[in-house]
Amino acid sequence: MSTTQDEFLQSYDANRFVRPNSSVDVVIFTVINGTLQVLLVQRPQHPFKDCWALVGGFVDTAQDSMLEDTAKRKLVAKTGVQTPYLEQYATIGNNTRDPRGWSITTVYFALLPPQHTLQSAAWFPITDNAVAVPLAFDHAILLAGCLARLRQKVLYTALPVHLMGETFTLSDLQKVYELIVGKPLEAKSFRRRLLGADILCATDATRHEGGGRPAQLYRLKPDHTTHFFVRTLEGSA
Amino acid sequence: MSTTQDEFLQSYDANRFVRPNSSVDVVIFTVINGTLQVLLVQRPQHPFKDCWALVGGFVDTAQDSMLEDTAKRKLVAKTGVQTPYLEQYATIGNNTRDPRGWSITTVYFALLPPQHTLQSAAWFPITDNAVAVPLAFDHAILLAGCLARLRQKVLYTALPVHLMGETFTLSDLQKVYELIVGKPLEAKSFRRRLLGADILCATDATRHEGGGRPAQLYRLKPDHTTHFFVRTLEGSA
DNA sequence: AGAATAGTGTCTCTCAGACACTATCAG
DNA sequence: CTGATAGTGTCTGAGAGACACTATTCT
């Protein structure tokens, strides 16, 4: 009766259970023209043909050696960006989200700096936790979930630095924070907080914009690990 | 060339991609004798036959209508507990964690009060972020990850209330916090924090233990949503 | 000068840490 | 009484919010 592990693997029936579909979806955020935007693609085939959807696709066991590879592959294919901020949000699996049957998707979200070229995809501004077009599958829910996570984390992390370009001013960064938090922040507290985090370094350049005092340009310190503040901004959960 | 969505679904080839295995693992924590413990089962079959492993198994598309159902099913089967605190930790998928090939597991963790009956499973104390026996697959890593998440969340949430029985004293609760945080906490700050959270209510009973002043017994308020404190305890990341 | 944007000085408030103190029991 | 455990009073310090103030550029 007893078999070795090798013998077992030889005779292993990989289909004793019906395997659900495994896919990855990536909610790709950026800021354009002072608006938070999400990258969407138009589905080329059924189900939800021609409907807008999150960037995503099936795990390809031939190409991807881990789940995050699937996310990165999809991200690079649509944006050309190799190493953005990428975080796993959650995994949703059920028998209702996909008309083809039981389906599991692991949802990531990415934060992109403003410049990049797109491949058959388009930015959609986010208003009221949603985009203006209907989305395929449960993607509207996935988007709302990622947004909630982002909004929450912005209250106690420096995540928005990943939405900035190479160099930026503290005013720029504050505007992005305000965009995500959804309300104005005090400039003094904001500067104290961000400069105290020790993740930015001043460049030797300034930027002059709109007739006021020129602003110091900062860049992210090279060893930029995600910073967690010890207190949350007001408006926390 | 154009087909309707119904026609498409009729002819849909579910096996165009090789589907990875989808499983769920649940890291079930409890506190026994002043020690944090995790529930393990001994694997009845290959791979890793007779090795200890986390509670888990394949998603059964016939039984489970969503991913969390798989977690709950496994949890009930081993502990009889229906509705503990259950949180999705993360999803790990790669081609190295299971000798049978590409495999995805969604990891949940559960917090259980001290009493329950076990079905072919055993508690193992956690010391130095691990248990004393080797674990199957990458389960040691999954355990360490959940532990890290738990340790982190204890600094700014009231999660440990889910490890307590029906009624408990603040000293009891503080001991559980200290167990997880790994260092002693100030009684005064602790009481201020927990009582200020407005999630506990005093019962009309006290408990007298060990020759000192009797302690007030508390219970969780019925509408117990997870409380987030606005500041973290010291020792934060 | 005045408008506009960048950046500071400094007060208040909240809440965690510290620790000495009081309270209530058994023996 | 002493020892043990429960629980409080209250000071300090860190960091967020508020807001008046200064700084540097433009026209």
Side-chain angles (χ1 to χ4, degrees):
Chain A
M1 270 311 286
S2 128
T3 56
T4 67
Q5 177 158 331
D6 279 348
E7 283 164 358
F8 172 84
L9 287 175
Q10 295 273 321
S11 64
Y12 171 71
D13 175 9
N15 293 307
R16 201 176 26 174
F17 285 94
V18 176
R19 297 186 180 190
N21 260 328
S22 290
S23 59
V24 167
D25 288 301
V26 191
V27 181
I28 304 171
F29 291 114
T30 200
V31 173
I32 300 174
N33 300 329
T35 318
L36 189 62
Q37 316 238 353
V38 62
L39 193 67
L40 300 178
V41 296
Q42 204 159 14
R43 286 185 58 80
Q45 51 192 255
H46 292 298
F48 294 98
K49 189 170 184 328
D50 300 326
C51 190
W52 291 94
L54 295 172
V55 172
F58 291 118
V59 173
D60 184 340
T61 55
Q63 279 191 76
D64 308 319
S65 65
M66 48 192 265
L67 210 45
E68 203 175 282
D69 288 346
T70 312
K72 284 183 179 155
R73 179 166 54 81
K74 290 291 168 186
L75 191 111
V76 170
K78 295 297 169 192
T79 68
V81 176
Q82 299 274 349
T83 56
Y85 178 82
L86 186 66
E87 170 174 333
Q88 192 184 101
Y89 160 59
T91 298
I92 281 72
N94 59 51
N95 57 11
T96 56
R97 59 182 304 277
D98 187 323
R100 290 166 293 190
W102 235 101
S103 148
I104 299 178
T105 185
T106 298
V107 185
Y108 287 80
F109 72 91
L111 305 180
L112 259 56
Q115 290 127 20
H116 36 261
T117 47
L118 294 182
Q119 293 283 346
S120 56
W123 293 113
F124 282 74
I126 295 169
T127 39
D128 290 329
N129 287 347
V131 288
V133 294
L135 294 185
F137 305 104
D138 53 359
H139 287 191
I141 295 170
L142 305 186
L143 169 60
C146 277
L147 255 180
R149 163 80 65 96
L150 179 63
R151 295 228 159 89
Q152 194 58 39
K153 289 197 85 160
V154 157
L155 297 176
Y156 60 92
T157 67
L159 277 203
V161 296
H162 299 286
L163 291 164
M164 312 306 291
E166 262 299 287
T167 62
F168 50 89
T169 70
L170 283 181
S171 299
D172 290 343
L173 184 54
Q174 183 176 343
K175 279 179 201 122
V176 172
Y177 263 85
E178 289 173 336
L179 200 61
I180 300 172
V181 172
K183 59 179 155 186
L185 300 175
E186 284 297 322
K188 176 61 175 177
S189 309
F190 182 80
R191 306 175 75 83
R192 200 171 37 204
R193 194 170 159 95
L194 269 291
L195 294 176
D198 194 39
I199 51 171
L200 303 180
C201 59
T203 66
D204 50 6
T206 58
R207 201 187 55 201
H208 193 189
E209 199 170 56
R213 172 174 167 175
Q216 180 62 243
L217 278 168
Y218 291 85
R219 78 171 67 249
L220 208 47
K221 281 198 176 174
D223 60 324
H224 58 299
T225 60
T226 304
H227 185 81
F228 290 80
F229 297 98
V230 302
R231 303 202 195 166
T232 64
L233 257 15
E234 82 167 14
S236 84
Chain B
M1 269 313 287
S2 127
T3 56
T4 67
Q5 177 158 331
D6 279 348
E7 285 164 356
F8 172 84
L9 287 175
Q10 295 273 322
S11 65
Y12 171 70
D13 175 10
N15 292 307
R16 201 178 25 174
F17 284 94
V18 176
R19 298 186 180 188
N21 259 327
S22 289
S23 60
V24 167
D25 288 300
V26 191
V27 181
I28 304 171
F29 292 113
T30 201
V31 173
I32 301 173
N33 300 328
T35 317
L36 189 63
Q37 316 238 353
V38 63
L39 194 67
L40 300 178
V41 296
Q42 204 159 15
R43 286 184 58 80
Q45 52 191 254
H46 292 298
F48 294 97
K49 189 170 186 325
D50 299 325
C51 191
W52 291 94
L54 295 173
V55 172
F58 291 117
V59 173
D60 185 340
T61 54
Q63 280 191 75
D64 308 319
S65 65
M66 47 192 265
L67 209 46
E68 202 175 284
D69 287 347
T70 311
K72 283 184 180 155
R73 180 166 54 82
K74 289 291 168 185
L75 192 111
V76 171
K78 295 297 169 189
T79 68
V81 177
Q82 299 274 349
T83 56
Y85 178 81
L86 187 65
E87 170 174 332
Q88 192 184 102
Y89 160 59
T91 298
I92 281 74
N94 59 51
N95 57 12
T96 56
R97 59 182 304 277
D98 187 322
R100 290 165 293 188
W102 235 102
S103 149
I104 298 178
T105 185
T106 298
V107 186
Y108 287 80
F109 72 91
L111 304 179
L112 260 56
Q115 290 127 20
H116 38 259
T117 48
L118 294 183
Q119 292 284 346
S120 58
W123 292 112
F124 282 75
I126 294 170
T127 39
D128 290 330
N129 286 348
V131 288
V133 294
L135 294 185
F137 305 104
D138 53 359
H139 286 190
I141 295 169
L142 306 185
L143 169 60
C146 278
L147 256 180
R149 162 81 64 98
L150 180 63
R151 294 230 159 90
Q152 194 56 40
K153 289 196 87 161
V154 157
L155 297 176
Y156 61 91
T157 67
L159 278 204
V161 296
H162 300 286
L163 291 164
M164 311 307 291
E166 262 299 288
T167 63
F168 50 89
T169 70
L170 283 181
S171 299
D172 291 341
L173 184 53
Q174 184 176 340
K175 279 179 199 119
V176 172
Y177 263 85
E178 290 173 335
L179 200 63
I180 299 172
V181 173
K183 58 178 157 189
L185 300 174
E186 284 296 322
K188 177 59 176 177
S189 309
F190 182 79
R191 304 173 78 81
R192 198 171 39 203
R193 194 170 160 95
L194 268 292
L195 294 175
D198 193 40
I199 53 171
L200 304 180
C201 58
T203 67
D204 50 6
T206 58
R207 201 187 56 201
H208 193 189
E209 199 171 56
R213 171 173 169 177
Q216 180 63 243
L217 279 168
Y218 292 86
R219 79 171 66 248
L220 208 47
K221 282 199 175 174
D223 60 325
H224 58 298
T225 60
T226 304
H227 184 81
F228 289 79
F229 297 98
V230 301
R231 305 203 191 165
T232 65
L233 256 15
E234 81 166 15
S236 82

